[in-house]
Amino acid sequence: MPMRNSYFLGVLFFGLFSAQKIQVVDAENGHPISNARIILEDKVVYTNEDGFAPIESSSKNFEISASGFKKEKISNFNTAIKLKPSVQDIEEVKIVSVDVKKIFEDVLKNYQQRYYDQPSLYDVVIKEKTFDNNNLYFMGIGEAKIWSKANKYNYRDGYHKRYDDIMQIQLNNVKYLKRVQSDSIFTGKSTEVLHQTLGSYFMNFELNSIVESLKDKSTKKAGILKSKEGDEEVVSFKINSDNGIRREGEFNYNLKDKVITYLKISYLQSEYPTEKRTTTDGREYGYKLGDATLIFDFYKIEGVYVPTMTQYEADNFTIFYKDQVHVKKFNREVVYNTFEKTNQKGLDPKVDFNIGIWKNIPLKEDKAAAMLLSKEEQEFIDQK
């Protein structure tokens, strides 16, 4: 059935006809691996949900890595890359406990020394998707520049709402922007606090939250070593607070540099009771929390650690209104394709955070493809 009240803007096809593509799969079962990181000579790209990424056929000597898999160095272009799982057979693995509190506290305390903390300029791809009852109804994908003053969230600037002193975004080229009318009655502005929204771009913001919760002696914590490859350990963890906040996830920890190079953390909130809320026009409804997951990925370039990807996903957030039930899902992904040290003190023009990224007018800047649409995303774009 055709969907009504839609708007769509499509520009180019991410160089689909000029660039080759590779697929990264699990060596054991052949399943595609999403969010596999590919470090090329001049940029970083990630695979989409179907395991595909755009790479020129002339590419060589590049590195591919993914959470839960062994890192591979590829000498020459190949359309199919297989990664081996990093976890050994369970009979061979000894249960090794890890003091995650000590690691989190040490990394946060020395964050400024161990991660690059000077003004930086990135070419990025920003992608946002929103679902209602499992139906994709909004997707925005754009190329942008991000300027960051210190590659971390500054709480003093945040408290005084000097957000532009922390980070600025310049929207250069909107590749895809489509919205179809959701069957939800709630289409107003998000009530999410900007302080938290901006903070979710930075790992130190999340580490600070974790460390604060660990200060409570009643908080229960556990860390287990999952695997080790060279100087890098993969650690899974669980943190349960008395106030009902349950966190679990995993991180990669570099023993030599004492940095977390990858962090995935989930907030399990589905057991919270339904709250009563009121819309801005006075309608009462029920609101039940779902689960939220954040991912931060880093790599070392020019001797410093900088971000390559941040991701935020909220799932199973449920709204009850009269006889209607709406299950919401939101995903935001930022891939940092290139990094540059800079003396710039900001961007001009820049995104006005108060009106949202996609309502800002982009500049026009054509460049090579940095990502590919997944099958689901392409079908959404093709819908009339």
Side-chain angles (χ1 to χ4, degrees):
M1 184 178 185
M3 295 195 178
R4 300 178 179 177
N5 297 332
S6 65
Y7 66 78
F8 166 60
L9 171 63
V11 185
L12 303 179
F13 284 89
F14 289 99
L16 196 57
F17 302 106
S18 61
Q20 295 288 335
K21 62 180 179 180
I22 67 168
Q23 186 179 36
V24 182
V25 300
D26 187 322
E28 291 190 352
N29 55 35
H31 294 165
I33 301 174
S34 63
N35 281 336
R37 185 181 70 188
I38 304 171
I39 302 178
L40 302 165
E41 183 179 0
D42 58 345
K43 63 181 177 181
V44 177
V45 297
Y46 280 78
T47 57
N48 64 16
E49 295 167 6
D50 304 318
F52 288 103
I55 294 183
E56 296 293 339
S57 58
S58 59
S59 300
K60 58 183 179 179
N61 299 323
F62 54 90
E63 177 186 287
I64 301 181
S65 60
S67 176
F69 295 87
K70 293 183 179 179
K71 189 181 299 182
E72 290 285 345
K73 291 188 176 181
I74 310 301
S75 299
N76 296 296
F77 177 84
N78 193 332
T79 56
I81 305 295
K82 297 180 179 180
L83 296 186
K84 298 177 181 178
S86 58
V87 179
Q88 300 172 346
D89 185 83
I90 192 65
E91 295 180 358
E92 301 176 6
V93 177
K94 295 181 180 179
I95 303 300
V96 179
S97 296
V98 177
D99 188 346
V100 293
K101 181 176 184 289
K102 181 179 179 181
I103 291 176
F104 285 136
E105 289 178 342
D106 178 68
V107 172
L108 180 62
K109 180 180 178 181
N110 297 285
Y111 200 89
Q112 191 168 336
Q113 290 75 39
R114 297 177 187 171
Y115 299 88
Y116 189 62
D117 66 341
Q118 298 300 310
S120 306
L121 192 63
Y122 301 91
D123 286 313
V124 306
V125 173
I126 301 176
K127 176 167 63 175
E128 290 187 355
K129 296 192 292 185
T130 308
F131 298 78
D132 183 32
N133 291 338
N134 290 321
N135 294 314
L136 178 59
Y137 74 89
F138 171 81
M139 183 173 74
I141 302 177
E143 294 170 342
K145 290 187 183 296
I146 285 182
W147 172 88
S148 178
K149 184 177 182 179
N151 288 292
K152 68 174 185 177
Y153 189 81
N154 184 296
Y155 282 85
R156 179 177 296 177
D157 287 333
Y159 177 79
H160 292 288
K161 297 185 178 182
R162 297 191 297 256
Y163 300 118
D164 284 344
D165 288 343
I166 301 173
M167 181 181 79
Q168 295 177 22
I169 299 175
Q170 182 182 87
L171 190 58
N172 294 328
N173 197 359
V174 176
K175 291 292 190 179
Y176 295 97
L177 184 60
K178 181 175 181 179
R179 181 193 299 274
V180 298
Q181 184 178 12
S182 165
D183 59 354
S184 173
I185 61 169
F186 300 105
T187 57
K189 292 183 178 180
S190 168
T191 57
E192 193 171 14
V193 180
L194 186 57
H195 169 72
Q196 296 172 339
T197 304
L198 200 65
S200 66
Y201 283 84
F202 299 95
M203 188 171 72
N204 77 300
F205 185 89
E206 187 58 36
L207 289 177
N208 185 74
S209 175
I210 295 171
V211 169
E212 285 299 313
S213 71
L214 290 172
K215 289 180 179 179
D216 188 338
K217 293 182 179 180
S218 64
T219 297
K220 298 178 181 179
K221 60 190 181 299
I224 301 294
L225 179 64
K226 290 180 62 177
S227 64
K228 182 179 179 181
E229 184 177 357
D231 290 325
E232 197 134 297
E233 293 182 337
V234 179
V235 178
S236 64
F237 65 91
K238 292 183 178 181
I239 301 172
N240 296 328
S241 303
D242 264 1
N243 59 7
I245 297 178
R246 296 168 53 216
R247 300 177 176 95
E248 65 177 41
E250 70 175 40
F251 60 84
N252 294 9
Y253 181 67
N254 188 290
L255 295 166
K256 181 180 178 181
D257 295 335
K258 297 183 179 180
V259 297
I260 292 175
T261 59
Y262 174 89
L263 172 65
K264 179 179 181 180
I265 182 167
S266 296
Y267 286 77
L268 308 179
Q269 307 168 125
S270 59
E271 295 180 0
Y272 277 70
T274 301
E275 304 173 0
K276 288 186 178 181
R277 294 190 177 184
T278 305
T279 63
T280 54
D281 58 2
R283 290 175 292 175
E284 292 187 352
Y285 65 97
Y287 182 78
K288 185 173 177 58
L289 289 172
D291 299 330
T293 299
L294 297 100
I295 297 176
F296 304 90
D297 202 5
F298 292 81
Y299 80 136
K300 195 174 186 178
I301 181 173
E302 300 177 17
V304 297
Y305 282 94
V306 296
T308 54
M309 189 262 286
T310 63
Q311 188 177 97
Y312 170 75
E313 181 173 284
D315 196 7
N316 288 320
F317 284 71
T318 308
I319 293 173
F320 304 92
Y321 180 73
K322 295 183 178 179
D323 59 345
Q324 301 179 43
V325 178
H326 297 279
V327 181
K328 298 289 189 177
K329 179 180 178 180
F330 170 79
N331 180 280
R332 185 198 70 218
E333 178 183 276
V334 181
V335 174
Y336 297 73
N337 300 124
T338 67
F339 159 71
E340 177 186 346
K341 298 177 181 178
T342 182
N343 292 322
Q344 287 184 220
K345 295 183 178 180
L347 297 170
D348 185 22
K350 61 189 176 185
V351 163
D352 181 353
F353 290 117
N354 292 316
I355 64 172
I357 292 175
W358 307 109
K359 292 183 179 179
N360 285 265
I361 299 175
L363 296 176
K364 179 65 176 177
E365 183 183 87
D366 289 331
K367 56 184 177 181
M371 66 163 292
L372 294 173
L373 294 180
S374 68
K375 181 181 178 181
E376 178 189 52
E377 293 164 352
Q378 188 64 61
E379 289 176 349
F380 177 66
I381 292 300
D382 291 341
Q383 287 176 355
K384 303 299 182 181

